[in-house]
Amino acid sequence: MRKPQPDSPTKRKLLAAAQNLMLAKGFTATTVDDVCESARLTKGSFFHYFETKEALGKAVLDRYVSTMFQAIQDAPFLKKDDPLQRIYGYVDFLIEMSRNPAKQSGCLLGTFSQELSDTHPGIRKTCAQHFARWAEALRLDIASAKAKHAGRKRWDPAALAEHIIIVVEGSLILARANQNYGVVERNLKQLKQYMNGLFGR
Amino acid sequence: MRKPQPDSPTKRKLLAAAQNLMLAKGFTATTVDDVCESARLTKGSFFHYFETKEALGKAVLDRYVSTMFQAIQDAPFLKKDDPLQRIYGYVDFLIEMSRNPAKQSGCLLGTFSQELSDTHPGIRKTCAQHFARWAEALRLDIASAKAKHAGRKRWDPAALAEHIIIVVEGSLILARANQNYGVVERNLKQLKQYMNGLFGR
DNA sequence: ATTGTCATACCAACCGGTAGGTATGCAAAT
DNA sequence: ATTTGCATACCTACCGGTTGGTATGACAAT
């Protein structure tokens, strides 16, 4: 009676609607009715696919992260041979994204961490794991870039990976408050200055 | 009938309770009942002092910011004569704050910006103004520090001011997700490295 | 081809509880 | 006597979630 298909067009519509709403209003302020109305479905069918609202939240988070991950995996800069070029390409890619008005909506990982870390420990944990994966992916390239171009210097690749992430998240907050995503570009460029120092340019 | 005193012990209790709750759970997830229970008062008296929940939000935000502002104004590093020492002192002060377990609760400015920028334009604007004031205060010291110690270099003091802020806000997000405020210290130290470059050390 | 079976997909109506907010009363202070 | 501080009681809308049901399609057995 209640074994919905794990992936159906309807479920995807619900997830897409929820993602948009939650990026705009956050998790708590987004109601199940909102999601249903936006997806042009009814609450009955919503709860056919999701046991609780929290389950929806987790699903949206996973969907968001894997979408991002995919977008990066498909980006051209990842094909560069030199890891240092990949790292700088990464930051430039983020800058380009921040210029795209369609993507000027903040990071779900950041917003969920902030509003749910105290009330929804499960979601908080999921956020932390996604952050850790993100940092680890960055760390790998940073470590080889360092080995190749800055072997002598003494600094921790993991720390730079973390720093890139927090610069992104912090810029997004300020961009949102100011309703101006130029903040992101400005600060990613300063991050590149900092990286120049680390890699000895 | 409804002209409450602008500042009374009761109102302060409500504000303090609301600030703690909203730092932990955010604005939306904090209910008026929560606030009343935490302040050991009833809803009747709550609405004696605040016309709406949104008015409470703005009041809490103002209170939070002016508390922070005061804490900084009273800090010893501001007495230094050299503006460069004041800037570095500022960052060190933030590091010390991040070590204090009592203050490991995020920044209301950041959380409100994220969850309310789309739904409560008034609060969003207030946040943006507070951010701007914060940045301006930093910019002044940075500009004189630059004039004194790095007059030749070409970079914008306003950009560094903004960068300091976004590093703080970004670190706080990650710290929250990881439930570990060492993140803040690590990234403020990297920020200092970046500043060393700018000021030509 | 027809029928019966069974699982999934989706909906309209509803439920208990709680959200923000109001009406009102009354004691203390001015 | 009026104003202020705070409480009790209550209202309406809406919250997340449930219920009972219908529609649809796949697959057999006939």
Side-chain angles (χ1 to χ4, degrees):
Chain A
M1 255 341 181
R2 42 185 136 90
K3 252 181 213 161
Q5 211 163 296
D7 185 53
S8 79
T10 306
K11 187 168 182 178
R12 262 196 285 245
K13 268 209 319 195
L14 287 165
L15 282 169
Q19 178 173 313
N20 287 334
L21 288 167
M22 289 179 180
L23 274 171
K25 310 198 288 179
F27 177 82
T28 312
T30 298
T31 69
V32 174
D33 283 325
D34 280 344
V35 175
C36 295
E37 194 190 328
S38 171
R40 250 160 296 231
L41 289 164
T42 55
K43 239 192 317 205
S45 59
F46 174 91
F47 282 102
H48 177 68
Y49 288 102
F50 300 100
E51 295 211 353
T52 63
K53 189 190 172 187
E54 177 165 352
L56 168 72
K58 283 186 189 169
V60 166
L61 192 56
D62 288 341
R63 185 193 119 107
Y64 175 81
V65 171
S66 64
T67 304
M68 280 300 175
F69 189 78
Q70 201 48 246
I72 284 163
Q73 200 119 29
D74 297 346
F77 70 85
L78 259 199
K79 271 119 204 158
K80 305 259 188 184
D81 287 328
D82 187 352
L84 187 62
Q85 283 188 307
R86 286 205 295 276
I87 290 294
Y88 277 89
Y90 192 98
V91 178
D92 289 329
F93 181 73
L94 292 174
I95 290 178
E96 247 176 79
M97 264 191 51
S98 81
R99 286 217 196 93
N100 179 353
K103 304 231 165 187
Q104 291 176 354
S105 45
C107 170
L108 213 62
L109 222 38
T111 58
F112 274 28
S113 292
Q114 279 215 337
E115 73 166 312
L116 304 178
S117 63
D118 269 41
T119 47
H120 296 66
I123 293 187
R124 197 223 94 234
K125 221 171 185 173
T126 308
C127 287
Q129 283 167 356
H130 284 308
F131 272 130
R133 266 194 272 279
W134 184 5
E136 178 59 13
L138 287 173
R139 206 209 94 235
L140 287 176
D141 268 347
I142 293 171
S144 23
K146 189 193 172 215
K148 201 166 173 186
H149 296 90
R152 291 284 153 74
K153 310 225 176 189
R154 256 195 308 287
W155 52 269
D156 181 8
L160 176 57
E162 187 177 86
H163 199 61
I164 293 175
I165 291 175
I166 70 100
V167 167
V168 170
E169 298 294 333
S171 310
L172 285 173
I173 288 190
L174 201 58
R176 225 172 144 126
N178 294 347
Q179 292 189 312
N180 169 14
Y181 280 75
V183 178
V184 180
E185 180 165 354
R186 279 198 297 279
N187 286 283
L188 285 175
K189 281 181 176 162
Q190 292 193 76
L191 171 63
K192 277 168 75 176
Q193 292 290 120
Y194 171 56
M195 286 165 56
N196 287 345
L198 291 182
F199 288 108
R201 304 196 174 173
Chain B
M1 261 322 187
R2 43 185 137 90
K3 251 179 216 168
Q5 211 163 294
D7 186 52
S8 78
T10 306
K11 186 169 183 176
R12 262 196 283 246
K13 269 208 317 192
L14 287 166
L15 282 169
Q19 177 172 314
N20 287 333
L21 288 167
M22 289 179 180
L23 274 171
K25 310 198 291 179
F27 177 83
T28 312
T30 298
T31 71
V32 174
D33 283 323
D34 279 345
V35 175
C36 295
E37 194 190 328
S38 172
R40 253 160 295 233
L41 289 164
T42 55
K43 239 188 322 200
S45 58
F46 173 92
F47 282 101
H48 178 69
Y49 288 102
F50 300 100
E51 297 211 352
T52 62
K53 189 190 170 185
E54 176 165 354
L56 168 71
K58 283 184 189 168
V60 167
L61 192 55
D62 289 342
R63 183 193 119 107
Y64 175 81
V65 171
S66 65
T67 304
M68 280 300 174
F69 189 78
Q70 200 49 247
I72 284 163
Q73 202 119 29
D74 297 347
F77 70 86
L78 259 199
K79 272 120 204 157
K80 305 261 187 182
D81 288 327
D82 187 351
L84 188 62
Q85 283 188 308
R86 286 206 295 276
I87 289 295
Y88 278 88
Y90 192 97
V91 178
D92 289 330
F93 182 73
L94 292 174
I95 290 177
E96 247 177 79
M97 263 191 52
S98 80
R99 285 215 197 94
N100 179 352
K103 303 231 166 188
Q104 292 176 356
S105 47
C107 170
L108 214 61
L109 223 38
T111 60
F112 274 27
S113 292
Q114 279 217 341
E115 73 166 311
L116 304 177
S117 61
D118 270 41
T119 47
H120 295 68
I123 293 187
R124 196 222 93 233
K125 220 172 186 171
T126 309
C127 287
Q129 283 167 356
H130 284 307
F131 272 131
R133 264 194 274 278
W134 184 6
E136 179 58 15
L138 287 173
R139 204 208 95 235
L140 287 177
D141 268 348
I142 292 171
S144 26
K146 188 191 171 214
K148 201 166 174 187
H149 297 90
R152 289 285 152 74
K153 308 225 176 189
R154 255 195 307 289
W155 52 267
D156 182 7
L160 176 57
E162 187 177 87
H163 200 62
I164 293 175
I165 291 174
I166 68 101
V167 167
V168 172
E169 297 295 333
S171 311
L172 285 173
I173 288 190
L174 202 58
R176 221 167 149 132
N178 293 348
Q179 291 189 311
N180 168 14
Y181 280 75
V183 177
V184 180
E185 180 165 353
R186 279 199 297 278
N187 285 284
L188 285 174
K189 283 183 175 163
Q190 292 193 75
L191 171 64
K192 278 168 75 177
Q193 292 289 119
Y194 171 56
M195 287 165 55
N196 287 346
L198 292 181
F199 288 109
R201 302 198 179 171

